Amino acid sequence: MDVNDEEIIQGCINKDIEYMEILYEKYVSKLYNCALRYTKKVEDAEDVLQDAFIQIFEKMKQYDRKGTFAGWMTTIVINQALMLYRKNLQYLKYHAVESENEEKTTVDIKDESIVQSDFLTHKILLDLIQSLPDGYRMVFNMHELEGYSYEEIAELLNCTPSTCRSQLFRAKKVLQAKIENFNKRNEDYNRL
Amino acid sequence: MKKYNDIGDLFRENFKDYSPKPSSKVWENIHTEVSKHVRINYKKVFYGATIVAVVTGLIIGVVYLKPIQKEEIKQDNTVVSVDEKHAIPFVVEQQKEPVKVLKDNAAEQVIVVENQVESQKTIEQPEPIIENQLQVQEVIVYQDESFISNDQQLSVAQDLKVNSKHESDAKNELAIIADEETVAKPLLKKVVVSKDTIVCENSTITLFIRNAKNIVWSNGNTTNDISVNVSQSQMFSVSFTDANGKDSTVYVFVRTVPCTELTIPSAFTPNGDGLNDEFKVFASGELSSFELIICNRNMKELFRSNSINKGWDGVYMNMEQPHGLYLYIIRYKDNFNQQIEKRGEFLLLRN
């Protein structure tokens, strides 16, 4: 099924349900990938994805064709995820305190390089991202995977660029410590 | 194994081609939500049609109901006229009297009487109306009183109900608190999950989790225990909610190793045909020590070997042993350096 993006866009503007389904089938896995990374649970990711698609179909007329179509849709998914994040912000305070305690226990790793063992599948990497505190996850995803600048993130998350930078640093450290831990466990078994 | 310079690179690389599929529920929800907006137009048409239908219905109803209403109005008129008749004859009679007086008395008095009549008219005419009004008002007042009393009764009853409700709520709350107390105690136990384990290849292993809620294993199971067949090293994850309501995920490494497995034949034929002439044990994997002892049914030792490659040919003290059942004891250490002893029986077959 090879349908041109422009055809799909026109179809969606005309509220043609068939074109909407084509669009869904074509981009769902890409956007779900994004939604999963920005949320804590599969259920949340599916909610975000669902709301994002409804937004996409509603606001199809407003697509200005400046960036790529996929990029535009990804932005909508991220916006939906941010809405959920802001909604959960009151609970975040509790998590923030918790994560501060965690930080003290993490080991300082000076070497930035990291080895990915065969054990680290997508599922586990995703679990690692999802287990990050909400703020860390947002910043890590936006900067490392979507390539947003610190200034852009600061504007979206309503904080200062320096806060973003430190949060990203901590997020990376937490992830690195966890992966190192996995690798160590794997090595221990290899030695047996 | 792959090395990355930065953790961001690792995630970027891995998630570039990651294409998970959400559940079909998502599209179903989107479909219903989107088609709602499409259907609005039909709905508008539908509402328009219903409004038109209702309006025409009303018009028809008004047209047909008018005669009936008129009848009702007539009835009202008669009622009113009855009152008027009562009032008018009364006045008329009184008017007649002054008329009689008029005839009898002088013209000067007539004016006075007429005035009196007029005054009587003015006084007497309103009286019945006022009385009626008063009666009506009284009735209304009574009705009101009855309403009020009813209301009061109702409100009293409601108050009672509310009070009883409050009481029952309070009881429920107490019950809930009591429940929570009784339930909360066992939940405060620490969550226990299977430890990382090493198992033989292609073996079935049971992983467990205790004292947790909302359990989801990586294979989709939601039970406390899962039984899985492990063919190669694997990592299982389990996400759960602990007693404090915190969601977390725990990983269980299950590493498989090639295990020592013995294949022990159940019979052999020492007839020199080249097939199964020796009772010999076959092993897969490593063995650090091995001992094979063969006894007859009287538990007399006939053969002993320390090598797995050496088997018994059915001869003891240069005497061929007879057809029958023999016993074996095998002691060995497997690749976990674990001492294992196996006992069993086999047949020596001779023609």
Side-chain angles (χ1 to χ4, degrees), chain B residues 70 72-84:
Chain B
K70 272 177 186 171
E72 280 176 4
I73 290 158
K74 273 177 189 172
Q75 279 177 348
D76 285 349
N77 284 339
T78 52
V79 171
V80 172
S81 60
V82 168
D83 283 348
E84 281 173 356

Side-chain angles (χ1 to χ4, degrees), chain A residues 15 17 20-21 24-25 28-30 32-33 36-37 41 46-47 49-51 53-54 57-58 94-95 98 102 111-129 140 143-145 172 175-177 179 182-183 185-187 189-190 192, chain B residues 1-35 37-38 195-198 216-218 233-239 244-247 249-255 257:
Chain A
K15 301 274 179 206
I17 203 96
M20 288 182 186
E21 190 156 7
Y24 178 83
E25 291 297 331
V28 68
S29 54
K30 196 177 171 67
Y32 189 47
N33 172 4
L36 276 171
R37 279 186 285 110
K41 287 182 276 186
E46 288 188 348
D47 280 354
L49 187 69
Q50 191 179 313
D51 291 346
F53 264 106
I54 291 163
F57 293 142
E58 273 179 11
Y94 162 73
H95 280 292
E98 197 180 45
E102 277 177 16
D111 187 12
E112 290 276 300
S113 70
I114 189 93
V115 172
Q116 186 189 6
S117 66
D118 302 331
F119 267 113
L120 286 173
T121 57
H122 285 123
K123 175 81 181 67
I124 291 159
L125 289 175
L126 193 64
D127 275 349
L128 288 179
I129 289 188
F140 181 80
H143 190 267
E144 292 296 322
L145 289 135
K172 275 180 160 183
L175 286 174
Q176 196 161 12
I179 291 174
F182 276 129
N183 286 345
R185 275 162 85 175
N186 193 24
E187 274 167 30
Y189 283 108
N190 281 331
L192 276 167
Chain B
M1 289 287 216
K2 213 171 171 187
K3 198 169 178 179
Y4 296 93
N5 290 328
D6 184 76
I7 196 146
D9 290 339
L10 187 151
F11 280 93
R12 237 190 324 274
E13 190 65 34
N14 274 288
F15 281 103
K16 206 166 71 184
D17 302 319
Y18 181 50
S19 48
K21 282 260 179 282
S23 68
S24 57
K25 212 174 63 192
V26 176
W27 170 247
E28 282 165 24
N29 288 342
I30 295 168
H31 189 273
T32 48
E33 186 65 30
V34 169
S35 45
H37 295 287
V38 177
K195 284 184 177 170
D196 298 352
T197 42
I198 310 169
V216 183
W217 291 90
S218 50
S233 298
Q234 220 176 320
M235 186 142 74
F236 292 92
S237 72
V238 55
S239 23
N244 299 323
K246 196 192 164 198
D247 295 334
T249 306
V250 167
Y251 299 92
V252 183
F253 271 92
V254 178
R255 186 159 194 88
V257 285

Side-chain angles (χ1 to χ4, degrees), chain B residues 296-322:
Chain B
N296 66 10
R297 288 165 75 179
N298 301 326
M299 293 307 284
K300 189 185 174 193
E301 189 182 316
L302 305 175
F303 178 79
R304 184 183 279 265
S305 161
N306 285 321
S307 165
I308 192 153
N309 297 319
K310 200 181 162 195
W312 186 47
D313 56 0
V315 176
Y316 173 63
M317 304 283 280
N318 291 323
M319 274 171 69
E320 285 194 347
Q321 294 301 305

